[in-house]
Amino acid sequence: MNWIAAADGPLSEDDFLKRLLITGAAGGLGRAMRSRLAGFAETLRLSDIVDLGTAGPNEELVVCDLADADAVMKLVEGCDGILHLGGVSVEDKFSKILNANLLGLYNLYEAARAHGQPRILFASSNHVVGFYRQDEHIDVKAPMKPDGLYGVSKCFGEALARMYFEKFGQETALVRIGSCFEKPINHRMLSGWMSHDDFVSLIGCVFRTPMLGCPIIWGISDNDSKWWDNSHASYLGWKPKDNAERYRAELEASIPRPEPTSALAVYQGGMFTQDPIFAED
Amino acid sequence: MNWIAAADGPLSEDDFLKRLLITGAAGGLGRAMRSRLAGFAETLRLSDIVDLGTAGPNEELVVCDLADADAVMKLVEGCDGILHLGGVSVEDKFSKILNANLLGLYNLYEAARAHGQPRILFASSNHVVGFYRQDEHIDVKAPMKPDGLYGVSKCFGEALARMYFEKFGQETALVRIGSCFEKPINHRMLSGWMSHDDFVSLIGCVFRTPMLGCPIIWGISDNDSKWWDNSHASYLGWKPKDNAERYRAELEASIPRPEPTSALAVYQGGMFTQDPIFAED
Amino acid sequence: MNWIAAADGPLSEDDFLKRLLITGAAGGLGRAMRSRLAGFAETLRLSDIVDLGTAGPNEELVVCDLADADAVMKLVEGCDGILHLGGVSVEDKFSKILNANLLGLYNLYEAARAHGQPRILFASSNHVVGFYRQDEHIDVKAPMKPDGLYGVSKCFGEALARMYFEKFGQETALVRIGSCFEKPINHRMLSGWMSHDDFVSLIGCVFRTPMLGCPIIWGISDNDSKWWDNSHASYLGWKPKDNAERYRAELEASIPRPEPTSALAVYQGGMFTQDPIFAED
Amino acid sequence: MNWIAAADGPLSEDDFLKRLLITGAAGGLGRAMRSRLAGFAETLRLSDIVDLGTAGPNEELVVCDLADADAVMKLVEGCDGILHLGGVSVEDKFSKILNANLLGLYNLYEAARAHGQPRILFASSNHVVGFYRQDEHIDVKAPMKPDGLYGVSKCFGEALARMYFEKFGQETALVRIGSCFEKPINHRMLSGWMSHDDFVSLIGCVFRTPMLGCPIIWGISDNDSKWWDNSHASYLGWKPKDNAERYRAELEASIPRPEPTSALAVYQGGMFTQDPIFAED
Amino acid sequence: MNWIAAADGPLSEDDFLKRLLITGAAGGLGRAMRSRLAGFAETLRLSDIVDLGTAGPNEELVVCDLADADAVMKLVEGCDGILHLGGVSVEDKFSKILNANLLGLYNLYEAARAHGQPRILFASSNHVVGFYRQDEHIDVKAPMKPDGLYGVSKCFGEALARMYFEKFGQETALVRIGSCFEKPINHRMLSGWMSHDDFVSLIGCVFRTPMLGCPIIWGISDNDSKWWDNSHASYLGWKPKDNAERYRAELEASIPRPEPTSALAVYQGGMFTQDPIFAED
Amino acid sequence: MNWIAAADGPLSEDDFLKRLLITGAAGGLGRAMRSRLAGFAETLRLSDIVDLGTAGPNEELVVCDLADADAVMKLVEGCDGILHLGGVSVEDKFSKILNANLLGLYNLYEAARAHGQPRILFASSNHVVGFYRQDEHIDVKAPMKPDGLYGVSKCFGEALARMYFEKFGQETALVRIGSCFEKPINHRMLSGWMSHDDFVSLIGCVFRTPMLGCPIIWGISDNDSKWWDNSHASYLGWKPKDNAERYRAELEASIPRPEPTSALAVYQGGMFTQDPIFAED
């Protein structure tokens, strides 16, 4: 299936990138995007720290540890777009987060700087603001309140990207992804869910807009219930089309409504706010 | 008629409350809700200071003066939700407002505190901000500018509810109702009108959301013309569906357009701003 | 063609003005409006500094130099609405801008003051904020950053109108028109375009609202991509219906995407920011 | 002692009011003001619900229950300024607050309306925002968060005064007094203390400024530590001169520093946030 | 007298400009500055449309009509700083304001552009915001509300200066002078007064700061009573030292306090808000 | 010398901490504090990665690499206050910053969590906002714009501290130090300088305030010229007393004023904005 058909939108030309690098391509979100982004670039370069299976048509597969500077340098060469989904994506031991999300991100930006500054979409996370309450409506100027080491690493990532933008002109879209799954699977996702199709259309906007700059974007569908305001980024012309509300009845039928005082109901970061600091081995 | 059909929305389960108390159930708005909220609760307990007619299926009727603390204490017992429409709802003598809207509200909150803090929807009013001009667009942080003693009593109510929330955790939705009628009947209501169906869907959102907190919500339909910004409360997922604009042609055909300098055209509170202080007997 | 049909909206009565003056009626936008506004007034008085052709039914044609105070005084007499499109509308020599946009506007407001203060829609321009970046989202409180002498003349016009409002009660809609063409013809217009139909419906709202005040309104269609926030003026009930996005594919097929660092991509004012100061003869 | 000497400031003329009414004159703050405000008016009319002792020169003593409308009507007659300190000033039973602070205030404003609208200084309270944290810095636009029924009654008072201003032009200074004592007596007062002299100079500013309007003013001295921003009211020219910091050493020597999690350290309202609802008899 | 002694501040080097042009040097403010700015530049070039008397040491006198482009071009040549006090400084006929404040200012900026862009201090005016009320506290982001044609011309000037800054890098300080007299002479000036010495120290800061940019600065002394917030411009390090309050007693002794509803007490622009539009001859 | 004498302020009791840990104690700032903080605690535990010389009375010296988790765990044990000056404090290779400022800080917070959460003052830096212009006035809500890898590491630190506060209640003062030297040594420091004495008094406020929370504080003296607004943190009662202006004449006599377009004059981060990314070996 071609995303352009799926999104039913105005973007029409195929292959507007030469080579799009997708990191973290073996993860859940990476796999969902791999199958949808074929039309975006002549070549998809797919990378992960684990095996990626067999290359499809116009695919290049690269196993790469983001903590390995030389490997990342080579990985980025020849790409004119980067969808950076790689790294640790849940709470974990700090040593793992340090390598993948701090050192790994630095390696990626240095490689981009060395190779013509291809535009980057960085998968940041709503967990940079996880300690806001669900009855708060915030925009991107709200000071960060990360809910764990994972969230802190995304704060680092946003700061690093901003510095490369101000200092070197590197453009990045900082997408604070809510929950990008097939469908919402708990009450919190009725507000924070982003459909795969909406993420695809956002990726299209990010790589096609004449000037990107370095915006923060809340990665959510057009949900009836929402906590986050994307109006500052309306210049991108992104109009998500899905709505978590469509799944409410199904969800309410299968999952008990959380108590008003439970972390799942109180905090935007949900249960992440309850994660402990994981001990190193 | 069942509200769920009316709202054509995602809320689907019936009877999500055990017993919903509706105060002021004999008033215009109370009667409109009585017929629509049957599906919300196993039992509707309907209350007013005047007679409520005959109980329908699953209805309990209680004549009660809100100024009578003991009566109110009994009235609230056994309810897990309260739709508080009771009290004086237009400009009146202060003594009447004092009893119904000040003392009465205190009695209600004390009763709720004694009986497990059932969630409350409090019918506040746009008349807490009646002296803003119609060319001003305001949000809930705009300092209050009540347009009469009635409006002042609603300021009191919002403050009281906030205090019970901060101090005791009592959740309340403070709904600043514009004009909740069958349809708009003057030019001012083209901006401030809320349809009965939209109010019903709001009531649904308020009582179903896992965490409510203590939000202020502007009670208006999705009118083309509007003065008030509800984006702070989008976590509730309320999407009103009606639009006063649909009635403009009919209205303009029957009512002369007000002069640009008339209170009806200048102030959000309209003619309420011109009410005198009513003399005590 | 009747605008009401075109806009497919709720405004229905014909001829709600006695005599609507349109200045600059021979220009591109003026001609587009002339054909669409017939239904708004019993008489259209059309004016320009150049010849206006033959009068249609219910049309009055007046050749008039806005810099001529006496002529403008006569021009305005008998009108109960003014659509002021006249004056210089691109960067030009200061002497020309001075006569048409500074002196001419003063003459117009003095004439209006002398003749009962007919409501005015003043065609201001996005070029009062041309030096904001396209990745900035601004509202009408953003301090002005004009991009040339033309833009500066529109800042003057907004200030003059505001003064007449505060001092004398003269109502004016200050419409910062983006690009009001048949369709968007470059990438910048994907954000700043306003369709003729949407302008017509805005004109309807401005002249029909009971109280207008002196609002600034961004003159753009309901484009997916936008830089400007009109929510402060939602009391007018204007809901533009067109969307430049519809033309993106066609536009991208015929025009190369601008470089991220080109003025066309960077500034809201686009290439106007690159205009020189034109020398006097 | 003459307040002008005490304040060491620029106000110099004596007796700028004919008759200043002080309600609550027998209370702690009332007594402190009685001795300091002699120079403000030809006559001080002192009122309280309890005995006021013996009248001094140029003093009139009136025992009056604020809940008695007729008595209040007479009390206000002939006054051109009112310092309203009367009513309940700590947490108490609602019935007492209702009579003194709700009904009593209404009576006062009705009496003022009947008698030429003498300017009023209304002793509001920091307890209208008592549930803000001490590490929050707020201004008068911060939504109210009262910490008890007393605080709620002051919210009512501010709303009532605002309505009389908008509707009838009655001017009032809404002074949210922190703690107006001889000196700070706990750690919280290091931020919220107002000296008697500073209150006197504020009273002078309020009654001498040509136009007062209806401002909210935080009643605090020029303390090094502060939570509240008075810059919006700088048009009054009030410059408090005392500083609670001067008493810190003495205070720290005699009182243990509160725990970081105690209500005294956490909330701007301090221990008021811990008061129960007092039972009616 | 040397301004550096007068200001008693940290600026110490003499003659930090080669040639400072002062326009409007024959006016009241111009004369006050002429005598104080000798130490700022090797040469003072003094200009006005009327005679300037006899040149002092290191002074050049030039009679010049600002509306004469060629004359202004010559006037600016060789200057590395411009203090622009020239033009009409009170309400007047539009034709006079047009020539002096619109055309004249354009001529000045064109001349500056031709001659190396000497830094400019432009005497704007508080009358660009004259219709704000005196109980409003505003900063430079407050939308303009000019109180007459004179005020409108200053709005034009600020816009023109901003455009030259954004487009060509021309630095200007936009000083919204309150009332720069020997001492305050009415109640309104207790808030809006700026002493001559404080203006001198501001001029020093403007011309000495390494980077000026294009700030708006409220030209007022350190008055106890104030309406305007200069904190955004604190990078300049300007600390006015005088205080209109010092003159209050003297002023109150000689002038009756204005009524609360008089324009002098209500509007920041005072009586300017009551000026008519002056008829052309 | 005792800091209390130096600060000439109200804090009076000695030894209000049992054991204060100072990391980075061998650095320039660390040495300046070591000599001044003796009166703050019964014992000073001084730590650095390099030799600290000989222990004075009541001093404990610990050589410790912050990247060594076990060593840091031991270092923190027994302390009830931490002044964290350690780590890399200028632009450097990322590997060094990673170890000292990312891993090192994590180790410190884990140690604090294990040992009773002693209050922490974390030396953050103005370089988290280095890319703001010097003519911008910002507060702590301004989104970060770090000017290099060092600045990015401080963004990380602030995020980490915030997370430990929200999740575990760990209190930290995030002090964005400008330039803490003996005296300002370039024009930029006229705005960003903090005297040693003022830092000492800030340290006193941070450790003595009953509740600290997790505030960001701009570490600057009371300079006439300033870019940063500390009003949000006025609850701490910190009143810096020094003023860089005192050194302007001396500085201007010895250093040429920077050009208006040089990084030193344009950016708050000054020359740091021009640092390259340092290559790894």
Side-chain angles (χ1 to χ4, degrees), chain B residues 94 147 166-167 272-273 275, chain D residues 106 131 147 167 272-273 275:
Chain B
F94 186 66
D147 56 24
E166 297 285 347
K167 200 156 192 165
F272 273 61
T273 61
D275 279 329
Chain D
Y106 168 74
F131 267 109
D147 56 23
K167 201 156 191 165
F272 273 61
T273 62
D275 279 329

Side-chain angles (χ1 to χ4, degrees), chain F residues 116-133:
Chain F
Q117 300 192 325
R119 196 170 278 184
I120 299 175
L121 188 158
F122 169 57
S124 182
S125 168
N126 72 88
H127 294 288
V128 300
V129 293
F131 268 110
Y132 282 91
R133 288 171 55 93

Side-chain angles (χ1 to χ4, degrees), chain B residues 24-26 47-52 62-67 100:
Chain B
S47 165
D48 209 298
I49 200 168
V50 300
D51 187 70
L52 284 147
V62 184
V63 174
C64 173
D65 180 351
L66 293 168

Side-chain angles (χ1 to χ4, degrees), chain A residues 2-189:
Chain A
N2 184 303
W3 79 271
I4 294 156
D8 189 28
L11 298 181
S12 57
E13 91 226 73
D14 273 327
D15 295 346
F16 54 97
L17 293 170
K18 294 287 183 213
R19 182 180 283 106
L20 174 63
L21 169 63
I22 306 179
T23 67
L29 186 50
R31 288 196 310 272
M33 290 302 108
R34 178 181 179 176
S35 64
R36 281 171 168 88
L37 298 184
F40 274 46
E42 292 173 20
T43 306
L44 285 188
R45 181 175 290 174
L46 305 164
S47 164
D48 208 300
I49 199 169
V50 301
D51 187 68
L52 284 149
T54 311
N58 307 319
E59 286 186 350
E60 299 170 353
L61 307 186
V62 184
V63 174
C64 173
D65 181 351
L66 291 167
D68 178 343
D70 293 340
V72 173
M73 188 61 72
K74 242 162 84 181
L75 180 67
V76 168
E77 188 174 7
C79 297
D80 54 347
I82 302 175
L83 175 61
H84 183 52
L85 307 174
V88 175
S89 63
V90 290
E91 195 61 6
D92 208 328
K93 285 182 288 189
F94 186 65
S95 56
K96 289 194 60 175
I97 288 172
L98 181 85
N99 275 314
N101 293 16
L102 305 183
L103 179 54
L105 197 71
Y106 167 74
N107 288 339
L108 187 80
Y109 273 83
E110 277 300 282
R113 191 163 68 93
H115 293 300
Q117 301 192 325
R119 197 170 274 183
I120 299 174
L121 188 159
F122 169 57
S124 183
S125 166
N126 73 88
H127 293 288
V128 300
V129 294
F131 267 110
Y132 282 91
R133 288 171 55 94
Q134 293 188 16
D135 55 3
E136 292 180 284
H137 185 76
I138 61 176
D139 62 22
V140 294
K141 288 188 180 159
M144 296 191 185
K145 294 192 183 181
D147 56 23
L149 294 171
Y150 165 63
V152 170
S153 78
K154 293 300 185 184
C155 297
F156 168 89
E158 294 192 7
L160 189 79
R162 185 84 205 174
M163 186 270 285
Y164 274 89
F165 173 68
E166 297 284 347
K167 200 156 192 165
F168 304 114
Q170 167 72 52
E171 294 189 310
T172 303
L174 302 161
V175 182
R176 293 181 178 170
I177 297 174
S179 303
C180 197
F181 291 91
E182 283 294 330
K183 56 183 187 181
I185 56 175
N186 61 34
H187 278 80
R188 179 176 156 262
M189 289 192 198

Side-chain angles (χ1 to χ4, degrees), chain C residues 57-130:
Chain C
N58 308 318
E59 287 186 349
E60 299 169 355
L61 307 187
V62 185
V63 175
C64 174
D65 180 352
L66 293 167
D68 178 342
D70 292 342
V72 173
M73 189 60 73
K74 241 160 86 178
L75 180 68
V76 167
E77 188 173 6
C79 298
D80 55 348
I82 302 177
L83 174 62
H84 183 51
L85 306 175
V88 175
S89 64
V90 290
E91 194 62 6
D92 209 327
K93 284 181 287 188
F94 186 65
S95 55
K96 289 194 58 175
I97 290 172
L98 181 85
N99 275 313
N101 293 16
L102 306 183
L103 178 55
L105 198 72
Y106 168 74
N107 287 339
L108 188 79
Y109 274 82
E110 277 300 282
R113 190 163 69 92
H115 292 299
Q117 301 192 326
R119 197 171 276 183
I120 299 175
L121 188 158
F122 169 57
S124 183
S125 166
N126 73 88
H127 294 287
V128 301
V129 294

